[in-house]
Amino acid sequence: MRHVGPGRVVHACGLLLVVVVALFPFYWMVASSLKQQTDLLASPPVWLFTPTLANYADIFADSHVMVAVLNSLLVASCTTALAVLIGTPAAYALARFEFRGKADLWFWFISNRFISPIVLALPVYLLARQVGLLNTRLVLILIDLTFNLPIVIWICTDQFRSIPPDIEQSARLEGADQFNIFWRIYLPLGLPGVAVSAIFAFIFSWNELLYSLVLITSQALKTAPVVATNFMSGYELPWGKIMATGTVIVLPVTIFALIVSRHMVRGLTMGATK
Amino acid sequence: MSFLQLDHVSKHFGGLTVVDGVSLSADKGEFVVFVGPSGCGKSTLLRMIAGLEEISAGDVSIDGRVVTGVAPADRNVSMVFQSYALYPHMSVRENIAFGLKMAKTPKDQIETRIADAARILQIETLLDRKPRQLSGGQRQRVAIGRAIVRNPKLFLFDEPLSNLDAELRTQMRVEIAKLHRELGATMVYVTHDQIEAMTLADRIVVLRAGRVEQIGTPTELYDTPSSIFVAGFIGSPKMNFLAATITGQDSNGLRVGHPAFAGGEIHVRPTTNRPAPVGSAVTVGLRPEHLTLGGADPLLTLTVDFAENLGGATQLYATGPGGAAVVLMVPGRPPVTPGEVLAASLGAGQIHLFDGSGAAL
């Protein structure tokens, strides 16, 4: 039998702590969504309770939640599609071509993520009002695209850089033009990176709250995270409903992430070793 | 006019000159090998012919047409890369068909050409596999298949065998030679392996620091190297060099002195008209395989350091007075022991002589 040293025990305890800290809020959200209001407000907290689906029944009866989930789906899907459509050719150019201003462009993409979104909230609101885009799904897609495009470009550029240049040169010698090299060589070979960046874009767009809150006031256009916060109004705090809505919002993305996690790890580690 | 012509071709990277005014030509159907140490510019030169590297100065012509500014795809050349450069996500069949598809070749023709190439290279059973399912040798065949299927005017090989093990390398070398004979195509082949160069080439171009050191048939380079660099590069084991001095001149040629020579000096007939004043420093070159043990007229007196038994031959490492370190390649297994003093004479070939600048005398 292998000897278990104290170092390994400390390591395991550390890992366990990280897992507990990471997963506990998630557990608490799901558990709370299955509790009745009395169990929810009990102090000290109730660990053993009779689960109820009443909160879910309530939120699904409320058409706002379903509409909001569909809005989120639409915005996140469009953002992801556009980010990949625009980001991958940009990444290819950054990975393989030398042009003036390349370093500045690259820095601009990175610096996009330096800025806290809240700093830009007011200017973006004024701008959107000026061009008549307030209360449209388009404005959310555009703003999500602004923040997600750099992620797609970063990840894909790195992925494309790991493709040996010999392969491109061979294709060039065989008569492939720039588009064919991108379409037939780079895109299929960079698929893990493209998939990872698409997943990130989708998740970020799906979870985006601040701009949805600022730019959308029409109930019919609100996204899922906004609707979840809408329950916090008046004198009542219906924790059960909030948690059930939260679970409904998080679940699809979590399932999606679990399914593609193997791909994600491959994509993130690709290019790390030659 | 030559089929492939390079006219004062240069390549600069910033302030660094990688290829410096190279001029050479190759006839149709000729197998030309560029050989030289790492960093001599041989691969860059090949890539300039392919169009993958911009030419800083000079011109490249293929089949009578200047292609200096022509895109790689329009030069009608095929290249086999050191890394094979197969498309990993495509099957062998798709890999071979890629160039033909790009050229919008009719489907039935693509199929015929793939079948022909697969038959020549004996890869018929591999057509539906992905590159990762192939061994190094099989990948190399696919890379060659991809090159021949397009019927190019010129084949370029960039160190195609350097990723293979010794046995496979020998096998593929023979196959490339066969392929050249079968296709009768013009081929330019880059290698740092002088054995590949000697066995494959019709003509060898020896490159050094971006310049052509010598161009000639393998036999010419072996028998009459123009410089000490070429003499040391061509031939295995490497030629022995002894730093000697011209001691005089008579009707038998130049008298060259070194303490390791039996009698202190030897006669060498120069092959060029370069000046060799008495007292000047020269280098004497002796091929290991040209030296024999004993003999009526010994050339060197040496002390054996150790012997390597190669089976059919023995490689002897010996030293002589005046810092001479000499390798001898002798047939069979002569009974020599380390520390033994022996005489060596010239069995075949000739004594090479180089002046202070390294040029052959």
Side-chain angles (χ1 to χ4, degrees):
Chain A
M1 209 182 116
R2 259 180 77 184
H3 174 69
V4 181
R8 289 181 66 87
V9 173
V10 172
H11 188 210
C13 288
L15 285 179
L16 193 68
L17 190 72
V18 171
V19 170
V20 168
V21 168
L23 287 186
F24 186 75
F26 191 75
Y27 158 78
W28 200 246
M29 177 180 73
V30 178
S32 301
S33 73
L34 298 169
K35 286 178 183 174
Q36 287 168 352
Q37 188 74 354
T38 45
D39 290 335
L40 266 167
L41 298 175
S43 180
V46 180
W47 295 96
L48 294 170
F49 58 92
T50 317
T52 172
L53 289 174
N55 292 321
Y56 288 93
D58 282 354
I59 63 157
F60 284 120
D62 182 349
S63 66
H64 293 325
V65 176
M66 287 319 290
V67 169
V69 168
L70 285 177
N71 279 336
S72 280
L73 199 65
L74 194 70
V75 170
S77 302
C78 288
T79 303
T80 307
L82 283 171
V84 170
L85 198 70
I86 303 168
T88 47
Y92 171 52
L94 282 167
R96 281 292 175 254
F97 301 124
E98 292 305 322
F99 49 89
R100 207 155 58 157
K102 177 174 160 175
D104 302 325
L105 192 65
W106 183 244
F107 180 74
W108 181 75
F109 284 129
I110 295 171
S111 63
N112 251 335
R113 300 295 301 188
F114 288 176
I115 305 159
S116 167
I118 198 146
V119 175
L120 296 175
L122 186 64
V124 167
Y125 174 81
L126 296 174
L127 202 67
R129 195 180 60 178
Q130 201 70 30
V131 294
L133 281 177
L134 277 186
N135 271 321
T136 59
R137 292 189 191 96
L138 180 62
V139 75
L140 288 186
I141 291 169
L142 289 177
I143 200 76
D144 284 356
L145 199 57
T146 310
F147 287 106
N148 285 325
L149 199 55
I151 294 172
V152 173
I153 292 173
W154 283 351
I155 296 175
C156 291
T157 302
D158 212 39
Q159 181 82 58
F160 291 157
R161 273 186 189 144
S162 71
I163 295 170
D166 275 1
I167 292 182
E168 171 170 356
Q169 287 170 355
S170 174
R172 265 174 71 197
L173 263 175
E174 292 200 276
D177 57 22
Q178 217 61 70
F179 175 76
N180 269 310
I181 290 172
F182 171 69
W183 185 250
R184 291 173 189 264
I185 310 284
Y186 274 80
L187 221 46
L189 286 181
L191 205 58
V194 176
V196 167
S197 62
I199 291 160
F200 276 133
F202 187 87
I203 292 173
F204 288 145
S205 181
W206 180 268
N207 291 334
E208 200 283 318
L209 171 68
L210 178 72
Y211 285 96
S212 309
L213 209 56
V214 172
L215 302 172
I216 304 288
T217 48
S218 161
Q219 188 65 42
L221 294 174
K222 282 184 177 168
T223 57
V226 178
V227 167
T229 62
N230 271 4
F231 288 112
M232 302 181 199
S233 57
Y235 299 102
E236 193 196 15
L237 267 180
W239 284 118
K241 276 191 196 174
I242 295 173
M243 293 301 171
T245 313
T247 308
V248 167
I249 294 169
V250 169
L251 221 53
V253 192
T254 312
I255 292 167
F256 179 55
L258 282 177
I259 292 169
V260 295
S261 61
R262 214 167 56 106
H263 227 50
M264 274 181 81
V265 173
R266 222 184 104 207
L268 288 173
T269 53
M270 229 178 134
T273 52
K274 284 270 169 191
Chain B
M1 194 180 166
S2 306
F3 188 76
L4 170 70
Q5 178 100 37
L6 270 65
D7 196 10
H8 295 97
V9 168
S10 296
K11 177 71 188 176
H12 313 291
F13 287 110
L16 191 74
T17 301
V18 184
V19 174
D20 193 3
V22 169
S23 295
L24 59 92
S25 59
D27 293 332
K28 196 173 175 115
E30 201 174 11
F31 200 123
V32 177
V33 174
F34 293 171
V35 73
S38 296
C40 70
K42 55 190 188 297
S43 279
T44 309
L45 196 58
L46 190 80
R47 294 163 61 82
M48 286 157 85
I49 297 172
L52 296 173
E53 206 76 68
E54 235 174 78
I55 297 172
S56 308
D59 274 321
V60 174
S61 316
I62 298 171
D63 201 8
R65 171 183 169 225
V66 177
V67 294
T68 311
V70 174
D74 301 328
R75 295 189 182 200
N76 206 355
V77 299
S78 276
M79 184 158 162
V80 177
F81 290 81
Q82 183 178 3
S83 62
Y84 318 134
L86 299 177
Y87 313 120
H89 56 303
M90 296 183 195
S91 68
V92 169
R93 186 189 301 279
E94 289 165 333
N95 261 283
I96 298 176
F98 186 81
L100 298 174
K101 267 191 197 164
M102 289 297 115
K104 302 202 166 38
T105 312
K107 259 196 181 154
D108 52 329
Q109 256 193 57
I110 294 182
E111 284 307 315
T112 318
R113 289 213 216 162
I114 292 175
D116 286 347
R119 185 180 40 76
I120 293 172
L121 296 163
Q122 295 162 3
I123 49 170
E124 288 113 317
T125 54
L126 309 175
L127 287 175
D128 295 315
R129 292 204 200 161
K130 290 275 169 66
R132 64 171 178 276
Q133 296 167 303
L134 305 178
S135 68
Q138 289 170 333
R139 282 179 206 186
Q140 190 54 262
R141 281 165 205 269
V142 176
I144 294 171
R146 204 170 59 172
I148 65 174
V149 81
R150 290 172 55 227
N151 290 334
K153 282 183 177 172
L154 183 65
F155 282 90
L156 306 173
F157 292 87
D158 188 5
E159 307 209 24
L161 307 184
S162 58
N163 287 346
L164 303 178
D165 62 47
E167 195 187 330
L168 205 52
R169 203 180 304 166
T170 312
Q171 192 190 329
M172 286 303 294
R173 205 171 67 206
V174 174
E175 291 196 20
I176 289 175
K178 263 194 213 161
L179 192 74
H180 176 241
R181 212 177 48 211
E182 270 176 47
L183 300 176
T186 314
M187 296 185 173
V188 181
Y189 188 105
V190 162
T191 181
H192 62 265
D193 181 349
Q194 56 92 24
I195 295 178
E196 270 174 38
M198 291 292 282
T199 51
L200 285 170
D202 292 324
R203 265 188 321 145
I204 299 176
V205 179
V206 182
L207 290 159
R208 181 193 189 187
R211 289 167 185 261
V212 173
E213 191 78 11
Q214 189 175 0
I215 302 179
T217 64
T219 313
E220 278 167 6
L221 296 194
Y222 182 83
D223 288 345
T224 51
S226 68
S227 67
I228 201 165
F229 176 80
V230 176
F233 202 79
I234 301 289
S236 176
K238 206 179 147 180
M239 184 185 278
N240 295 298
F241 294 116
L242 301 175
T245 317
I246 303 277
T247 51
Q249 190 168 11
D250 56 31
S251 58
N252 288 328
L254 294 168
R255 287 206 314 272
V256 182
H258 188 283
F261 292 145
E265 61 178 29
I266 55 167
H267 276 96
V268 184
R269 278 200 183 282
T271 53
T272 68
N273 294 323
R274 290 177 71 88
V278 174
S280 62
V282 288
T283 303
V284 174
L286 297 162
R287 294 223 180 261
E289 57 275 26
H290 290 165
L291 294 171
T292 54
L293 294 181
D297 182 19
L299 186 70
L300 298 160
T301 311
L302 302 164
T303 308
V304 176
D305 286 336
F306 63 96
E308 281 177 348
N309 177 6
L310 305 178
T314 301
Q315 197 160 315
L316 292 175
Y317 294 83
T319 45
V326 177
V327 177
L328 296 89
M329 182 67 103
V330 292
R333 292 162 205 168
V336 287
T337 48
E340 189 180 330
V341 175
L342 48 81
S345 48
L346 193 66
Q350 65 190 81
I351 299 169
H352 300 270
L353 203 58
F354 305 96
D355 67 11
S357 70
L361 282 173

